[in-house]
Amino acid sequence: MTPLHTPHRSPSPDDFGASYLERGWEPPEEVVLRRELVRTPGLQPEDIGVLAELLLRDPRLPSTMEAIRRDLQAQGWKMGKDRYNAIAGRLTKAGHLARVSVYDEATQRPTWVTRVYRNPANNEQYVDLGIAASQQVSAEVRETRDSQPSGSRETRVSPGQRRKAENP
């Protein structure tokens, strides 16, 4: 027996308690599409299909946007560059894609990476944009309220929205 080889033994209960839990890597097998995601304003049915494909994509495959587009075409999808770019734009606007700069050890330089999110709430870039927009709206509302006579109060309904029974 060489020093590098030790005979296999069954783990004792103490070994299990001291071990670390690590999730084994598995390719994605399913994507859950909640009602809110499927009915996201501004998304087209093809956008939902591409998002599902991106979420199911094996992360070990080449992942440039062009490689993904070619893979979709190989599956029979009609996916030209303009169409794919339009879909990516809508998915980005809805918070499902984020373009971030990441340091690449191999090239010793930053590189652009597009990350895909099933839930936009997990996309920090999208959340930060929403926070910045809400702060801008808050400043505009304060300005409008301060300039109005005290007798004429506007309702607190956002522009472009109506007051409904389910949305008081």
Side-chain angles (χ1 to χ4, degrees):
M1 198 172 348
T2 65
L4 296 175
H5 183 270
T6 57
H8 180 70
R9 65 178 179 80
S10 298
S12 72
D14 291 337
D15 292 340
F16 180 76
S19 70
Y20 291 95
L21 176 67
E22 182 179 274
R23 180 153 183 202
W25 186 88
E26 301 170 309
E29 296 175 2
E30 63 184 14
V31 174
V32 176
L33 301 176
R34 296 179 50 180
R35 178 186 312 269
E36 297 83 21
L37 185 148
V38 173
R39 294 186 177 168
T40 300
L43 291 186
Q44 300 296 313
E46 65 185 353
D47 303 342
I48 304 299
V50 169
L51 177 61
E53 281 293 324
L54 293 174
L55 293 168
L56 287 171
R57 189 169 177 77
D58 184 339
R60 298 171 297 184
L61 293 175
S63 59
T64 65
M65 296 304 255
E66 184 58 26
I68 294 167
R69 190 181 70 78
R70 282 194 308 266
D71 288 349
L72 292 172
Q73 285 178 327
Q75 292 180 47
W77 293 44
K78 292 181 173 129
M79 194 58 61
K81 286 182 183 183
D82 291 342
R83 186 177 199 174
Y84 187 70
N85 288 337
I87 291 169
R90 290 189 298 265
L91 289 172
T92 300
K93 186 175 180 181
H96 296 288
L97 297 180
R99 194 160 180 238
V100 295
S101 179
V102 176
Y103 185 76
D104 183 353
E105 288 289 335
T107 63
Q108 303 267 315
R109 299 182 60 154
T111 186
W112 287 107
V113 173
T114 301
R115 292 189 178 144
V116 62
Y117 296 90
R118 183 184 56 82
N119 184 348
N122 296 324
N123 177 350
E124 288 180 34
Q125 197 175 72
Y126 180 73
V127 170
D128 291 347
L129 284 173
I131 290 170
S134 71
Q135 289 171 344
Q136 182 179 358
V137 168
S138 295
E140 290 171 5
V141 168
R142 274 195 302 275
E143 208 172 281
T144 304
R145 282 190 184 154
D146 292 344
S147 63
Q148 287 181 351
S150 59
S152 67
R153 280 265 189 223
E154 287 287 321
T155 59
R156 300 176 98 184
V157 178
S158 298
Q161 292 186 349
R162 297 187 306 251
R163 186 177 292 268
K164 299 185 241 173
E166 67 269 7
N167 184 18

